Amino acid sequence: MPTLICDCNKTMPLKAASLGTALGEPLALHSTLCRREIGDYQQAIRGNEPVVVACTQEQKLFAQVGTQTEGAVAPVHFVNIRETGGWSRDASQAMPKIAALLAAAHLPEPEPVPTVTYTSAGRLLVIGPLDEAERAAAMLSDVLDVTLFAQGGAVSQERRYPVLADRIDALTGWLGAFTLTWTADNPIDLDLCTRCNACIAACPEHAIGLDYQIDLARCTGHRACVKVCEAAGAIDFNRPMQTESQAFDLVLDLRAQPAFAQHAPPQGYFQWDSRDLPTLLKLRDMVGEFDKPRFFAYKQKLCAHSRNDQVGCNACVEICSAEAISSHPKRQQVEVNPNLCVGCGACTTVCPTGALTFQYPRAPEQGLRLRTLLATYAHAGGRDATLLFHSQERGAQLVEGLGRAARLQQAQGVPANVIPVALWHTASTGLDLWLSAIAFGASQVVVLVTGEEAPQYIDGLKAQMAVAQAILHGLGYSGTHFELLRADSVPALDAGLRSLGATRQSVPREAARFAVAAEKRATLELALDHLVAQAPMRPEAIALPPQGAPFGTIVVDKDRCTLCMSCVSACPASALQDNPQSPQLKFLEKNCVQCGLCATTCPEDAIVLQPRLLLTPQRREARVLNETRPYGCIRCGKPFGTLKVIEAMLGKLSGHPMFQGAALERLKMCGDCRVVDIYTARDEAKITDA
């Protein structure tokens, strides 16, 4: 795959020879690839092999030249090496990072994912004061079918748009599928109203405004308005309340209190004030069909959300800022609405089992990218690599702004050992990829948060980082390996990146080479195996923070446990097991996800969770947590329960009038012997005697 590098008019100290050695191909250094040397680009794209161009600023120009170049069929990958490293105070030391970025650009594009389709016919609902709503409608009505919902204000005399009013009950849905439900409880019917203003003039309480709605709190019942409206018949104080609904494709909300309180409202819903022109421009383009990626995949059989109507893990429901995930305990699953999902990936980050996985890109593709970056960086002589995860929008803007500021001598720029990695959303990576990155050779993983994230995302990332750091500290790796970097401006980002160099981290002696698996737990096992094998310390177990820990054991109170095995049937990960041959409760710690379903299901409250990472071989072996003698039938001797269960049952029922004498003794019998005893007892009344 040919690689074209350019030092942008000699503003970057690129070393073509060392970069070529790291990439395994000869590189020619250009200074004006987008101008005088454009012929080299045209020559490269005439082949069939993909071409990497180390410039994103002129991506549009290169694309136009490609369409005008005869025989140009090669796919082109663009990568930014300028703002991410070439424009920084230590750019001369950034060749390993630049080589890593170029190597990652050589990777194939991620496999396409399924899409979610929205269809909008342009039916727009504008909610707010009528005078403001009409101003917005005037700028949109040439391309959209506008309906107004009155919230006070004054409507124009001319009837320009359909107007609804009364009390809003609910607004639900998403782009192309909104439903407004309201109750018509005002005496004035706006469809019959002619806007003659006679009612306003006649009302002695001034209870009728230019929105043609009656303020019933001010109205004292003169009914002068009814008399002057006899011809039109638009006013009826006896009009029965009716619930009505109507469908819309788009919603523009002018109220101070939005209809949707969640951090990420549905696509197609916008809030607006009179100074917000970009929102109106965006609305004008929202007619037609729109596709977005289906960001997630869900495997119900792995989900630890619920069993037997009991809720265990609820992490995804609690963290979703779009309220796209709903709980369905009776179906033992959660349900993700793909139309509401905004693709943050936070649900996949906090999911302990991997039932929810992020698909844009998938974990194996993301893992290959990280391994390529870090392996190339090390091969080129780089040391102490720090991965900087940032969003593709605001995060990328800050990184590029920092590069420009460094070029103007106003900032230090992105340090030579910091490798920026753009993500669809910074909440989409978690424990599995972070620990894999350390195993692949990273010294530090830094997640850039810019203030656009939902508060629960920050809490979730903190909790995951606390677990990851506890594991590394427990293994004897010193330093801070995981960090949230908060920055909402270029100076803040510059200062934050510089502060990272103040600490040093110990890392594995050798870099791992495993491939990140599609299953989260499998990747965690691969990363942990490598980190443990290289660890300075190997304790028997590492205590983990209680929030967000996906590993651990359970402690069973043997005095309270009756071995009813309710916990076994509730465990979604098969960590709890029974023994068909003997009354034993067994536990396989490797499988435990700390969902808590066993503890909530246990009728005796005999189970307590204990987050930890066990490092001995027993983690992969089933061990007995509790056992007891089987209880044999007092009549035939056949085992039919455990001693503790029968004793507990006898203790609870011995005082009940239905279980006295022979009836109590039958509780000590197996099912067959109970029937025989009832039919052979002379003092028992039988249905056949009736």
Side-chain angles (χ1 to χ4, degrees), residues 208-441:
I208 305 176
L210 286 173
D211 58 349
Y212 301 106
Q213 294 288 280
I214 298 176
D215 183 348
L216 296 175
R218 298 173 66 180
C219 177
T220 59
H222 287 89
R223 303 297 187 260
C225 56
V226 177
K227 295 177 183 177
V228 298
C229 195
E230 284 181 345
I235 305 177
D236 182 2
F237 281 85
N238 297 316
R239 183 159 63 110
M241 288 194 301
Q242 294 180 336
T243 299
E244 302 183 35
S245 64
Q246 190 168 333
F248 296 94
D249 301 304
L250 302 159
V251 177
L252 183 63
D253 197 341
L254 280 57
R255 298 171 297 174
Q257 187 68 32
F260 298 94
Q262 62 263 39
H263 185 271
Q267 285 91 342
Y269 172 83
F270 301 90
Q271 278 196 286
W272 182 76
D273 63 50
S274 57
R275 297 165 295 178
D276 184 11
L277 184 59
T279 294
L280 298 186
L281 295 176
K282 188 182 295 185
L283 274 167
R284 292 178 64 86
D285 291 332
M286 300 198 72
V287 179
E289 283 198 353
F290 305 90
D291 290 334
K292 73 172 184 181
R294 188 182 178 94
F295 295 102
F296 65 92
Y298 177 61
K299 294 182 180 178
Q300 189 271 337
K301 66 179 181 179
L302 298 179
C303 184
H305 175 62
S306 59
R307 292 292 186 275
N308 305 324
D309 289 344
Q310 296 291 326
V311 174
C313 175
N314 207 38
C316 60
V317 177
E318 292 171 353
I319 204 169
C320 181
S321 72
E323 297 184 4
I325 307 179
S326 53
S327 168
H328 296 276
K330 290 189 179 297
R331 289 190 281 157
Q332 302 186 7
Q333 66 180 37
V334 297
E335 183 176 323
V336 186
N337 187 329
N339 296 290
L340 294 177
C341 174
V342 296
C344 67
C347 57
T348 67
T349 295
V350 299
C351 179
T353 66
L356 278 167
T357 54
F358 195 66
Q359 300 289 291
Y360 195 69
R362 299 173 177 88
E365 296 163 338
Q366 194 72 280
L368 176 61
R369 183 185 180 196
L370 299 182
R371 191 178 62 183
T372 300
L373 284 168
L374 293 166
T376 306
Y377 179 83
H379 177 64
R383 299 182 61 185
D384 302 325
T386 293
L387 293 179
L388 175 65
F389 290 129
H390 63 82
S391 66
Q392 291 184 165
E393 295 183 1
R394 180 59 181 154
Q397 291 171 5
L398 287 177
V399 170
E400 291 172 4
L402 178 58
R404 174 176 287 188
R407 175 71 189 119
L408 299 174
Q409 305 296 311
Q410 297 170 354
Q412 297 290 317
V414 182
N417 70 317
V418 175
I419 306 173
V421 181
L423 304 173
W424 177 264
H425 197 289
T426 49
S428 63
T429 62
L431 206 60
D432 51 339
L433 286 175
W434 296 343
L435 289 176
S436 295
I438 300 298
F440 292 150

Side-chain angles (χ1 to χ4, degrees), residues 536-621:
M537 295 167 47
R538 194 176 300 184
E540 184 174 305
I542 300 172
L544 299 179
Q547 185 179 357
F551 308 112
T553 186
I554 63 172
V555 178
V556 176
D557 186 338
K558 295 183 180 181
D559 294 331
R560 305 184 72 171
C561 174
T562 62
L563 287 168
C564 68
M565 301 302 174
S566 296
C567 55
V568 174
S569 63
C571 181
S574 299
L576 284 164
Q577 304 167 2
D578 62 357
N579 185 345
Q581 310 302 323
S582 178
Q584 287 183 333
L585 176 62
K586 303 171 76 175
F587 180 67
L588 184 58
E589 188 158 340
K590 173 178 173 288
N591 290 356
C592 182
V593 299
Q594 295 285 286
C595 65
L597 274 169
C598 55
T600 56
T601 300
C602 178
E604 312 299 339
D605 293 326
I607 297 176
V608 177
L609 302 181
Q610 183 182 345
R612 71 173 188 179
L613 177 61
L614 185 65
L615 299 177
T616 63
Q618 285 70 35
R619 181 169 179 267
R620 292 177 167 84
E621 300 170 0

Side-chain angles (χ1 to χ4, degrees), residues 624-638:
V624 177
L625 296 181
N626 195 16
E627 60 183 333
T628 188
R629 291 188 293 110
Y631 188 91
C633 173
I634 60 173
R635 182 165 180 154
C636 69
K638 181 177 69 174

